[in-house]
Amino acid sequence: LTQKAPTIQEVARHAGVSIGTASNVLHGKSDLHSSKTSQKVWDSAKALGYRSNHLARSLARQRTNTLGVVTERHQPMMIRNLYFGYLLDGFLEYAVPHAYQVKLISILNDDPQNGVLHIENGTVDGVILIAPVIDSPLLSWAQQSRLPVVVCGSTLPESSGLTCVDVNNEQAVRQAVEWLIQQGHRRIGFVKGDRLHWSARQREQAYMRTMQEHGITPQQDWLAQGDYMLDSGRKAMEQLLKCRPPLTAILAANDQMALGIIDACRQYRVRIPAEVSVVGFDNVEHAALTIPALTTVHHPVREIGMRAAELLIEQVETGERFAKRVLLPGELVVRESTRPLETEAVSATNHNRTTNQ
Amino acid sequence: LTQKAPTIQEVARHAGVSIGTASNVLHGKSDLHSSKTSQKVWDSAKALGYRSNHLARSLARQRTNTLGVVTERHQPMMIRNLYFGYLLDGFLEYAVPHAYQVKLISILNDDPQNGVLHIENGTVDGVILIAPVIDSPLLSWAQQSRLPVVVCGSTLPESSGLTCVDVNNEQAVRQAVEWLIQQGHRRIGFVKGDRLHWSARQREQAYMRTMQEHGITPQQDWLAQGDYMLDSGRKAMEQLLKCRPPLTAILAANDQMALGIIDACRQYRVRIPAEVSVVGFDNVEHAALTIPALTTVHHPVREIGMRAAELLIEQVETGERFAKRVLLPGELVVRESTRPLETEAVSATNHNRTTNQ
DNA sequence: CTGAAAGCGCTTACAG
DNA sequence: CTGAAAGCGCTTACAG
């Protein structure tokens, strides 16, 4: 079978019809033609093993029916793999049945110009941007391009004029913090995510705001900088362990870092949750398997992927770009890494708070 | 900026040259032309913000410079996400710098015919098949297609005539089993992977063979069927726990199932490694974080992705399909879920062996 | 060194 | 209901 693939022209000739007619019945309105003609064409197509050339079709129609998934290359691989995998899963889940194919566009962040060339080369009808960082050149490109775009995993300011789909970081973090407070905790530490990410900034803000709304002013040393990677959680914990009086609970901006915290606690023989409660963010697969099982906020990544596909396809098919913000709620999943603070501890904490303020 | 993208024709007119000339300097041999001409063309291109249309170019050249990554949809998502993420990472790592783009082709296994249409539609120069199952229709398609193909994650029989890149399951499992035997273990159980996968079959065979070569005949009840998912590891362990005399070590066909085993042991208060040693396969991120940390075989998934890209591109560029088998070695990573069997235990085991045979 | 022209495989008005 | 033709945006021999 080393022969070339048959073209629509050969099908037309074989069926004894014009090439336009063949095209019509094969793709366009087949009810334009007599059923006898249609049948002839289909028969010929089958006989020759015809498969239409998507490239030629796309060029002629000025529509590729393919969507691009754009990632910046420098993202930490671990994060990328976890977030990316689920997101892609949801994206495909929606796009494929809607007759869209997907192309991966992996951009080296040291060469944004070149990256944009790979996007606007006619091969995709629209793109999703995966978790672009705060100063990403992709964002400014997206703002002035006329290609439909949906941003996932970064909640941009309203003023960006771009559609984005993300977990509601504000709501999600608030839920976690308020729950800890309800459990009697007040000295709650926070491990920040990678400062390049919108999500890191927003989660930190939500933490600060919620604490303050409850009359708690986090001290400087209650916060530690992380970068969303496991090891940074370990390091952050070493630092937070020095707080005096000690923190009774710690919220990490993602699960990877929470895993690092758990590991550090094991190393330093700090018991979770007896001595400190730990809460993560994402609800990765493994969060249920740590010892103790991690209390965390579920991040609906798959759903985000599906919604993104939906919103992107909507823009492609209506032909108009819009700027919606879809924020899916996170949901606290309480497991075993947290516990209520006992009365005695609570009063101790209250005392500390007084001295702190 | 709502105007249409400029075409090469407009660039040519702007520069005052023919469209063929513009094409030459922009892409082909620019040393064909005087540097003055070249300069004019480049200037015009920049002035107009020209980006070449990859679709049109591909159609004209009969070469897309894009590679397809084909997955069957029914694969368990967890597996897919873990294996897939790293593989894709390696694949991109190699393909992108070599000027290839990548397209995702997600095939619903209930409709293989249709799936093949998505592959042979002119949009890709070649494809990799990710872990096709034993009776996958993709395999028979690949054998009779003339499109370059590389199979990853399934070591096909030589007779398949297809190029594949995979971890060396035989060597990798042998290494794990022999190491356990060296540590004094003889009653070594095995948790099988999903029977649809080549890898599951091969890992089981390697286990059997290695055991037998060392004079150990695994009893029926030393093996339990799993499906590569965590929960099946749990179930398998419940079953293996019933062996009398008890198994002293268990090898799981992948880490997910090993995690299930660890979890089951915790539930049933079986101490690892004091009462039973556990070995996984894959060396997933989390394997280092279990308690106890999991001894496992490192599976070089990223490297597999890179090699696959390399071999695929080689086929595309030379224009000839070949059938290489590249088997990358797995490497045992010893952590804390295993320990040597004490002399007393060893003699007990020897005794058992005698009675068993 | 450069231009005119055919061609890649399809779609889509436009006549009839 | 159907065919002839122009066009999608590029590349590549082929003349000159």
Side-chain angles (χ1 to χ4, degrees):
Chain A
L1 271 319
T2 184
Q3 76 241 1
K4 280 202 49 177
T7 71
I8 200 170
Q9 175 177 313
E10 305 178 59
V11 173
R13 183 180 324 142
H14 185 277
V17 300
S18 81
I19 159 178
T21 298
S23 172
N24 278 336
V25 352
L26 256 21
H27 282 294
K29 297 266 130 206
S30 74
D31 44 312
L32 248 174
H33 300 274
S34 73
S35 60
K36 213 181 57 180
T37 307
S38 298
Q39 199 53 53
K40 275 193 300 184
V41 173
W42 280 117
D43 289 349
S44 301
K46 174 165 293 183
L48 300 178
Y50 173 71
R51 335 179 190 269
S52 88
N53 183 314
H54 191 77
L55 237 45
R57 186 167 151 80
S58 298
L59 184 59
R61 303 180 62 204
Q62 298 289 80
R63 189 85 132 46
T64 63
N65 264 248
T66 109
L67 270 19
V69 173
V70 181
T71 54
E72 293 174 295
R73 222 43 194 308
H74 75 284
Q75 308 241 27
M77 199 177 70
M78 268 200 291
I79 312 291
R80 246 174 59 201
N81 274 325
L82 290 175
Y83 190 73
F84 194 79
Y86 285 103
L87 195 92
L88 216 48
D89 224 67
F91 193 75
L92 286 168
E93 177 95 2
Y94 189 91
V96 170
H98 284 76
Y100 282 83
Q101 324 200 267
V102 1
K103 189 173 156 186
L104 246 44
I105 304 179
S106 171
I107 288 189
L108 299 82
N109 49 313
D110 47 353
D111 191 2
Q113 294 293 26
N114 194 11
V116 170
L117 285 187
H118 279 8
I119 303 180
E120 300 218 66
N121 63 2
T123 55
V124 293
D125 294 335
V127 295
I128 60 170
L129 266 34
I130 303 213
V133 292
I134 289 184
D135 61 349
S136 170
L138 287 176
L139 254 22
S140 39
W141 161 77
Q143 288 173 318
Q144 55 88 55
S145 167
R146 65 201 157 68
L147 204 66
V149 172
V150 170
V151 174
C152 296
S154 292
T155 307
L156 307 181
E158 305 251 17
S159 60
S160 69
L162 292 170
T163 285
C164 50
V165 187
D166 200 1
V167 63
N168 189 332
N169 287 306
E170 169 78 24
Q171 165 269 331
V173 167
R174 172 178 302 275
Q175 191 179 340
V177 174
E178 286 186 341
W179 181 77
L180 283 171
I181 292 176
Q182 247 175 262
Q183 301 284 304
H185 294 278
R186 298 189 71 85
R187 303 183 57 83
I188 303 168
F190 184 78
V191 180
K192 311 183 201 182
D194 184 338
R195 34 159 70 93
L196 292 174
H197 285 273
W198 293 95
S199 58
R201 177 186 284 189
Q202 287 152 357
R203 289 173 198 175
E204 178 183 349
Q205 274 178 7
Y207 156 81
M208 290 298 285
R209 222 180 336 241
T210 309
M211 292 288 274
Q212 279 160 349
E213 284 174 16
H214 287 265
I216 312 173
T217 305
Q219 305 299 302
Q220 282 259 24
D221 61 349
W222 296 10
L223 285 85
Q225 183 68 51
D227 61 9
Y228 278 150
M229 308 276 286
L230 190 140
D231 206 52
S232 75
R234 263 193 211 108
K235 299 253 170 62
M237 192 60 197
E238 290 177 5
Q239 194 180 314
L240 295 181
L241 244 20
K242 296 183 190 140
C243 286
R244 289 296 171 271
L247 300 170
T248 66
I250 293 170
L251 172 62
N254 79 350
D255 281 354
Q256 288 292 330
M257 296 193 296
L259 297 187
I261 290 174
I262 292 179
D263 202 59
C265 285
R266 186 153 61 109
Q267 184 182 337
Y268 293 103
R269 320 248 166 236
V270 176
R271 287 162 302 143
I272 304 173
E275 296 175 73
V276 64
S277 289
V278 175
V279 179
F281 192 113
D282 274 347
N283 194 22
V284 298
E285 211 108 73
H286 195 77
L289 298 172
T290 53
I291 303 179
L294 184 65
T295 293
T296 186
V297 177
H298 181 72
H299 186 159
V301 185
R302 244 181 88 80
E303 287 72 19
I304 291 175
M306 295 189 66
R307 288 290 277 145
E310 186 187 344
L311 290 169
L312 184 53
I313 289 175
E314 187 180 339
Q315 292 187 73
V316 168
E317 299 194 339
T318 63
E320 33 193 87
R321 285 183 46 151
F322 49 72
K324 260 181 205 161
R325 302 173 101 220
V326 176
L327 299 183
L328 270 37
E331 194 180 346
L332 188 69
V333 180
V334 177
R335 287 197 270 249
E336 286 141 29
S337 63
T338 44
R339 62 152 204 181
L341 213 56
E342 282 109 28
T343 325
E344 127 200 76
V346 170
S347 43
T349 305
N350 279 338
H351 168 71
N352 296 331
R353 175 170 148 248
T354 317
T355 41
N356 278 337
Q357 284 179 345
Chain B
L1 270 317
T2 184
Q3 76 241 1
K4 278 203 53 177
T7 70
I8 200 170
Q9 174 176 314
E10 305 178 58
V11 173
R13 183 182 320 144
H14 186 278
V17 300
S18 81
I19 157 176
T21 299
S23 173
N24 279 336
V25 352
L26 256 22
H27 281 296
K29 297 264 125 204
S30 75
D31 44 310
L32 248 174
H33 300 274
S34 74
S35 62
K36 213 180 60 182
T37 307
S38 297
Q39 199 52 55
K40 276 193 301 184
V41 174
W42 281 117
D43 289 349
S44 302
K46 175 166 292 184
L48 300 178
Y50 173 71
R51 337 178 189 269
S52 90
N53 183 315
H54 190 77
L55 237 45
R57 186 166 151 79
S58 298
L59 184 59
R61 304 181 62 206
Q62 296 290 81
R63 190 84 130 47
T64 63
N65 264 250
T66 107
L67 270 18
V69 173
V70 181
T71 55
E72 294 175 293
R73 221 44 192 306
H74 74 286
Q75 309 240 27
M77 199 175 72
M78 268 200 292
I79 312 290
R80 247 175 59 201
N81 275 325
L82 290 175
Y83 189 74
F84 194 79
Y86 285 103
L87 194 93
L88 216 47
D89 224 66
F91 193 76
L92 285 167
E93 178 95 0
Y94 189 91
V96 171
H98 285 75
Y100 283 83
Q101 324 200 269
V102 1
K103 187 173 156 187
L104 246 45
I105 306 180
S106 171
I107 288 190
L108 298 83
N109 49 313
D110 47 353
D111 191 2
Q113 293 294 24
N114 194 11
V116 169
L117 285 186
H118 280 6
I119 302 180
E120 301 219 66
N121 63 1
T123 54
V124 294
D125 294 335
V127 295
I128 59 169
L129 266 33
I130 303 214
V133 292
I134 289 184
D135 62 349
S136 171
L138 287 175
L139 254 22
S140 40
W141 161 78
Q143 288 174 318
Q144 56 88 58
S145 168
R146 65 202 157 65
L147 204 66
V149 172
V150 170
V151 174
C152 297
S154 293
T155 307
L156 306 181
E158 306 252 15
S159 60
S160 70
L162 293 170
T163 286
C164 50
V165 187
D166 200 1
V167 64
N168 189 332
N169 286 305
E170 169 78 25
Q171 165 270 331
V173 167
R174 172 179 303 276
Q175 192 178 340
V177 173
E178 286 185 340
W179 181 78
L180 283 171
I181 293 175
Q182 248 175 260
Q183 301 284 303
H185 294 277
R186 298 189 71 85
R187 303 184 55 83
I188 303 168
F190 184 78
V191 180
K192 312 183 199 182
D194 185 335
R195 34 160 69 92
L196 292 175
H197 285 272
W198 293 95
S199 59
R201 177 186 284 190
Q202 288 152 356
R203 288 173 198 175
E204 178 183 348
Q205 275 178 6
Y207 157 80
M208 289 299 284
R209 221 175 344 236
T210 309
M211 292 287 276
Q212 279 160 349
E213 283 174 16
H214 287 265
I216 312 174
T217 305
Q219 305 298 302
Q220 281 261 22
D221 62 349
W222 296 10
L223 285 86
Q225 183 67 51
D227 61 8
Y228 279 149
M229 308 276 286
L230 190 139
D231 206 52
S232 76
R234 261 192 212 111
K235 298 253 169 63
M237 191 60 197
E238 290 178 5
Q239 193 180 314
L240 295 181
L241 245 20
K242 295 182 190 140
C243 287
R244 288 296 171 272
L247 300 170
T248 66
I250 292 169
L251 172 62
N254 79 349
D255 280 354
Q256 288 292 330
M257 296 193 295
L259 297 187
I261 291 174
I262 292 180
D263 202 59
C265 285
R266 186 154 60 106
Q267 185 182 336
Y268 293 103
R269 320 248 165 238
V270 176
R271 286 161 303 141
I272 305 173
E275 296 175 74
V276 63
S277 289
V278 175
V279 178
F281 192 114
D282 275 348
N283 194 21
V284 298
E285 211 108 74
H286 195 76
L289 297 172
T290 52
I291 302 179
L294 184 66
T295 293
T296 187
V297 177
H298 182 71
H299 186 160
V301 185
R302 244 181 89 80
E303 287 72 18
I304 291 175
M306 295 188 66
R307 288 290 277 143
E310 186 187 344
L311 290 170
L312 184 54
I313 290 174
E314 189 180 338
Q315 293 188 73
V316 168
E317 299 193 339
T318 63
E320 33 193 88
R321 284 181 48 150
F322 48 73
K324 261 181 205 161
R325 301 172 101 221
V326 177
L327 299 184
L328 270 36
E331 196 181 346
L332 189 69
V333 180
V334 177
R335 287 197 271 249
E336 287 141 28
S337 63
T338 44
R339 62 151 205 181
L341 214 55
E342 282 110 30
T343 325
E344 127 198 77
V346 170
S347 43
T349 305
N350 280 339
H351 169 70
N352 296 330
R353 175 171 148 249
T354 318
T355 42
N356 278 337
Q357 284 181 343

PDB file of all heavy atoms in Angstrom, chain B residues 12-24:
ATOM      1  N   ALA B  12       5.543  40.487  -1.460  1.00  0.00           N
ATOM      2  CA  ALA B  12       6.250  40.557  -2.735  1.00  0.00           C
ATOM      3  C   ALA B  12       5.957  41.881  -3.447  1.00  0.00           C
ATOM      4  O   ALA B  12       6.873  42.578  -3.896  1.00  0.00           O
ATOM      5  CB  ALA B  12       5.845  39.380  -3.621  1.00  0.00           C
ATOM      6  N   ARG B  13       4.700  42.231  -3.503  1.00  0.00           N
ATOM      7  CA  ARG B  13       4.331  43.475  -4.167  1.00  0.00           C
ATOM      8  C   ARG B  13       4.998  44.663  -3.471  1.00  0.00           C
ATOM      9  O   ARG B  13       5.612  45.510  -4.100  1.00  0.00           O
ATOM     10  CB  ARG B  13       2.814  43.655  -4.160  1.00  0.00           C
ATOM     11  CG  ARG B  13       2.385  44.915  -4.918  1.00  0.00           C
ATOM     12  CD  ARG B  13       0.882  45.103  -4.862  1.00  0.00           C
ATOM     13  NE  ARG B  13       0.210  43.806  -5.001  1.00  0.00           N
ATOM     14  CZ  ARG B  13      -0.916  43.491  -4.362  1.00  0.00           C
ATOM     15  NH1 ARG B  13      -1.485  44.379  -3.566  1.00  0.00           N
ATOM     16  NH2 ARG B  13      -1.465  42.312  -4.540  1.00  0.00           N
ATOM     17  N   HIS B  14       4.911  44.676  -2.161  1.00  0.00           N
ATOM     18  CA  HIS B  14       5.501  45.755  -1.367  1.00  0.00           C
ATOM     19  C   HIS B  14       6.998  45.873  -1.633  1.00  0.00           C
ATOM     20  O   HIS B  14       7.563  46.968  -1.691  1.00  0.00           O
ATOM     21  CB  HIS B  14       5.243  45.487   0.109  1.00  0.00           C
ATOM     22  CG  HIS B  14       5.676  46.593   1.029  1.00  0.00           C
ATOM     23  ND1 HIS B  14       6.966  46.749   1.449  1.00  0.00           N
ATOM     24  CD2 HIS B  14       4.972  47.595   1.593  1.00  0.00           C
ATOM     25  CE1 HIS B  14       7.040  47.790   2.255  1.00  0.00           C
ATOM     26  NE2 HIS B  14       5.843  48.332   2.357  1.00  0.00           N
ATOM     27  N   ALA B  15       7.642  44.730  -1.806  1.00  0.00           N
ATOM     28  CA  ALA B  15       9.089  44.747  -2.005  1.00  0.00           C
ATOM     29  C   ALA B  15       9.449  44.925  -3.478  1.00  0.00           C
ATOM     30  O   ALA B  15      10.616  45.093  -3.828  1.00  0.00           O
ATOM     31  CB  ALA B  15       9.696  43.447  -1.474  1.00  0.00           C
ATOM     32  N   GLY B  16       8.443  44.835  -4.337  1.00  0.00           N
ATOM     33  CA  GLY B  16       8.707  44.981  -5.761  1.00  0.00           C
ATOM     34  C   GLY B  16       9.423  43.793  -6.378  1.00  0.00           C
ATOM     35  O   GLY B  16      10.241  43.947  -7.279  1.00  0.00           O
ATOM     36  N   VAL B  17       9.141  42.623  -5.861  1.00  0.00           N
ATOM     37  CA  VAL B  17       9.738  41.418  -6.441  1.00  0.00           C
ATOM     38  C   VAL B  17       8.633  40.426  -6.762  1.00  0.00           C
ATOM     39  O   VAL B  17       7.476  40.640  -6.395  1.00  0.00           O
ATOM     40  CB  VAL B  17      10.738  40.755  -5.470  1.00  0.00           C
ATOM     41  CG1 VAL B  17      11.871  41.704  -5.130  1.00  0.00           C
ATOM     42  CG2 VAL B  17      10.026  40.271  -4.217  1.00  0.00           C
ATOM     43  N   SER B  18       8.992  39.326  -7.390  1.00  0.00           N
ATOM     44  CA  SER B  18       7.979  38.318  -7.680  1.00  0.00           C
ATOM     45  C   SER B  18       7.702  37.517  -6.415  1.00  0.00           C
ATOM     46  O   SER B  18       8.513  37.472  -5.483  1.00  0.00           O
ATOM     47  CB  SER B  18       8.461  37.379  -8.766  1.00  0.00           C
ATOM     48  OG  SER B  18       9.315  36.409  -8.203  1.00  0.00           O
ATOM     49  N   ILE B  19       6.565  36.879  -6.428  1.00  0.00           N
ATOM     50  CA  ILE B  19       6.152  36.124  -5.253  1.00  0.00           C
ATOM     51  C   ILE B  19       7.061  34.926  -5.020  1.00  0.00           C
ATOM     52  O   ILE B  19       7.356  34.560  -3.884  1.00  0.00           O
ATOM     53  CB  ILE B  19       4.661  35.753  -5.416  1.00  0.00           C
ATOM     54  CG1 ILE B  19       4.257  34.552  -4.593  1.00  0.00           C
ATOM     55  CG2 ILE B  19       4.303  35.501  -6.858  1.00  0.00           C
ATOM     56  CD1 ILE B  19       2.765  34.306  -4.710  1.00  0.00           C
ATOM     57  N   GLY B  20       7.556  34.351  -6.116  1.00  0.00           N
ATOM     58  CA  GLY B  20       8.500  33.242  -5.975  1.00  0.00           C
ATOM     59  C   GLY B  20       9.773  33.686  -5.278  1.00  0.00           C
ATOM     60  O   GLY B  20      10.296  32.988  -4.405  1.00  0.00           O
ATOM     61  N   THR B  21      10.239  34.844  -5.663  1.00  0.00           N
ATOM     62  CA  THR B  21      11.447  35.383  -5.039  1.00  0.00           C
ATOM     63  C   THR B  21      11.226  35.602  -3.548  1.00  0.00           C
ATOM     64  O   THR B  21      12.051  35.216  -2.714  1.00  0.00           O
ATOM     65  CB  THR B  21      11.829  36.716  -5.691  1.00  0.00           C
ATOM     66  OG1 THR B  21      12.091  36.470  -7.070  1.00  0.00           O
ATOM     67  CG2 THR B  21      13.052  37.311  -5.036  1.00  0.00           C
ATOM     68  N   ALA B  22      10.096  36.207  -3.239  1.00  0.00           N
ATOM     69  CA  ALA B  22       9.795  36.441  -1.828  1.00  0.00           C
ATOM     70  C   ALA B  22       9.805  35.120  -1.071  1.00  0.00           C
ATOM     71  O   ALA B  22      10.409  35.004   0.004  1.00  0.00           O
ATOM     72  CB  ALA B  22       8.437  37.121  -1.695  1.00  0.00           C
ATOM     73  N   SER B  23       9.157  34.133  -1.648  1.00  0.00           N
ATOM     74  CA  SER B  23       9.120  32.819  -1.014  1.00  0.00           C
ATOM     75  C   SER B  23      10.527  32.292  -0.777  1.00  0.00           C
ATOM     76  O   SER B  23      10.849  31.816   0.308  1.00  0.00           O
ATOM     77  CB  SER B  23       8.331  31.847  -1.877  1.00  0.00           C
ATOM     78  OG  SER B  23       8.427  30.534  -1.354  1.00  0.00           O
ATOM     79  N   ASN B  24      11.351  32.415  -1.809  1.00  0.00           N
ATOM     80  CA  ASN B  24      12.727  31.929  -1.662  1.00  0.00           C
ATOM     81  C   ASN B  24      13.453  32.577  -0.496  1.00  0.00           C
ATOM     82  O   ASN B  24      14.009  31.878   0.349  1.00  0.00           O
ATOM     83  CB  ASN B  24      13.513  32.199  -2.945  1.00  0.00           C
ATOM     84  CG  ASN B  24      13.238  31.138  -3.992  1.00  0.00           C
ATOM     85  OD1 ASN B  24      12.847  30.030  -3.653  1.00  0.00           O
ATOM     86  ND2 ASN B  24      13.421  31.489  -5.256  1.00  0.00           N
TER      87      ASN B  24
END
